[in-house]
Amino acid sequence: MSSKPRVRPGGRSARVQASVHTAVRELLKERDREALTVPLVAQRAGVTPSTVYRRWGNLQELLSDVAVERLRPDTEPEDHGDLRSDLTAWAEQFLDEMTSASGRAYIRDALLGDPDGSNAGQCSAYAAEQINVILARATDREENTPDVETAMDRIVAPMMYRILFRPAGLDAAYAHQLVTELFGIRGKGDQ
């Protein structure tokens, strides 16, 4: 989405964004992404190509915007009763979703159409929000918790690095290992 402002909720602009996003998702189900063009998306969305170019600039920025929206979590993380269980379940689900074919495509699209880094920052914020929910629950249970940045650095950052650059061997055991290492770093008495 580059440096263009996010769309305000409601109004014509929001309707255009929704119809264009829907058109992109539908077209990607029907054909290879290489066959996708701005005029094709515009026709499916019921808008002019100039509307798409004015709002997104180019196809890659549009795909990036759609990807960021698709990477937004739909629900809060599940509550399993304690911090370690909550973080482990969340990390396993996050890794599973991000290593899927569609997850990898969304990550690629989010980053490729992101010249100023705002989309990457938004994706990171989604993960931080999810971890914040988990940490807040643990705090309410009077558990000793790491800060959100430590959890991001020890769980999310290594997973994203591996997804992007060394994808072999990524499974639930790897996610579990990262959470275990987070607790080991915090000290044996902090659990």
Side-chain angles (χ1 to χ4, degrees), residues 25-54:
R25 289 191 305 270
E26 289 173 355
L27 288 166
L28 286 174
K29 288 178 185 175
E30 298 171 8
R31 60 191 71 206
D32 290 336
R33 65 189 346 277
E34 292 76 30
L36 206 63
T37 65
V38 168
L40 190 62
V41 170
Q43 180 182 16
R44 175 69 62 97
V47 299
T48 64
S50 63
T51 298
V52 175
Y53 287 120
R54 190 171 38 257

Side-chain angles (χ1 to χ4, degrees), residues 80-93:
H80 296 274
D82 67 84
L83 178 59
R84 180 174 268 183
S85 297
D86 288 354
L87 280 175
T88 300
W90 181 85
E92 288 174 359
Q93 180 181 354

